[in-house]
Amino acid sequence: TQLLEQSPQFLSIQEGENLTVYCNSSSVFSSLQWYRQEPGEGPVLLVTVVTGGEVKKLKRLTFQFGDARKDSSLHITAAQPGDTGLYLCAGVSGGYQKVTFGIGTKLQVIP
Amino acid sequence: NAGVTQTPKFQVLKTGQSMTLQCAQDMNHEYMSWYRQDPGMGLRLIHYSVGAGITDQGEVPNGYNVSRSTTEDFPLRLLSAAPSQTSVYFCASRRQGSTSGANVLTFGAGSRLTVL
């Protein structure tokens, strides 16, 4: 089983603060995805990173894939209450491109 | 497009009862999968299918059966429910391919199951 360790599991910050969520594994993935999940709904894809060292930006969110394709980070600048939710990283690997999820980071942004 | 549709949304069972969680997608996706989501455990893969007639086990397959007779449907069967199967279940589908864009999962809204 390929494990994805995500940290922190819980994060409560004030509006306007910056934060970083980490996703680490001892396994190499062909790509790594970040999803966001709202209560009562299924996860929705935010971004996919494929190349080692790749950096992608989505407005105030910056995603980075480690050089060895084993880890990733999500950085949010000037967090807003609308950023509140569960953030999940997921690694893609294997012949059938199975998707394995981390535990998730529950983010609360307080106005 | 409806995307991925799961039914029922909520279900309460007694220990030992059987039931089927339904999942249907209208995107012609080859790959379909079932996850369960539990606090502190994240999303764990139960079973998956890469096409009609082809299924395989994920991380936590015990107590669950699946079949894939059509591209659109991928039901999850609990033959004898146990309290440990209390969870939120998600069905997800995607195109099957080697590009990163093919691996994006589309999830249903989830089915909350309680086993007493």
Side-chain angles (χ1 to χ4, degrees):
Chain A
T1 302
Q2 294 170 303
L3 293 175
L4 272 168
E5 296 181 356
Q6 213 173 318
S7 62
Q9 284 192 42
F10 302 96
L11 197 52
S12 181
I13 61 171
Q14 295 289 326
E15 181 177 357
E17 291 183 353
N18 301 333
L19 66 115
T20 302
V21 176
Y22 299 94
C23 180
N24 297 298
S25 175
S26 58
S27 303
V28 176
F29 295 101
S30 58
S31 63
L32 202 138
Q33 303 168 342
W34 285 91
Y35 291 79
R36 182 177 159 205
Q37 185 179 16
E38 303 278 1
E41 298 179 9
V44 176
L45 181 79
L46 293 173
V47 78
T48 300
V49 284
V50 180
T51 307
E54 182 177 2
V55 177
K56 278 192 176 178
K57 291 192 175 184
L58 192 66
K59 296 183 181 178
R60 293 175 294 99
L61 279 60
T62 301
F63 304 86
Q64 186 160 7
F65 201 13
D67 291 339
R69 306 209 322 272
K70 294 182 180 181
D71 55 270
S72 181
S73 63
L74 157 61
H75 182 79
I76 301 179
T77 303
Q80 304 293 313
D83 295 328
T84 293
L86 179 67
Y87 290 82
L88 296 155
C89 68
V92 182
S93 62
Y96 286 135
Q97 300 290 284
K98 262 192 324 187
V99 181
T100 303
F101 283 84
I103 286 178
T105 295
K106 192 168 184 179
L107 171 65
Q108 180 186 29
V109 182
I110 303 166
Chain B
N1 283 343
V4 178
T5 303
Q6 288 183 235
T7 56
K9 196 159 179 65
F10 301 95
Q11 183 71 50
V12 179
L13 290 178
K14 293 181 179 178
T15 296
Q17 286 185 317
S18 62
M19 79 155 299
T20 299
L21 297 176
Q22 302 290 346
C23 176
Q25 53 91 10
D26 60 0
M27 299 170 284
N28 204 31
H29 284 171
E30 300 93 340
Y31 181 101
M32 296 185 74
S33 55
W34 278 101
Y35 289 86
R36 59 177 289 175
Q37 187 172 35
D38 303 289
M41 303 293 288
L43 280 159
R44 292 181 291 169
L45 182 64
I46 304 172
H47 285 285
Y48 66 98
S49 169
V50 296
I54 306 170
T55 64
D56 204 351
Q57 298 180 349
E59 302 169 59
V60 288
N62 292 340
Y64 307 95
N65 280 352
V66 293
S67 60
R68 184 96 179 268
S69 56
T70 67
T71 300
E72 295 79 17
D73 301 298
F74 191 45
L76 179 71
R77 297 184 184 86
L78 285 72
L79 297 179
S80 180
S84 60
Q85 293 178 303
T86 293
S87 187
V88 181
Y89 292 85
F90 287 96
C91 179
S93 73
R94 65 161 202 245
R95 291 185 292 116
Q96 185 70 359
S98 58
T99 63
S100 61
N103 296 320
V104 176
L105 288 169
T106 300
F107 282 84
S111 298
R112 183 175 292 272
L113 175 66
T114 301
V115 183
L116 302 175

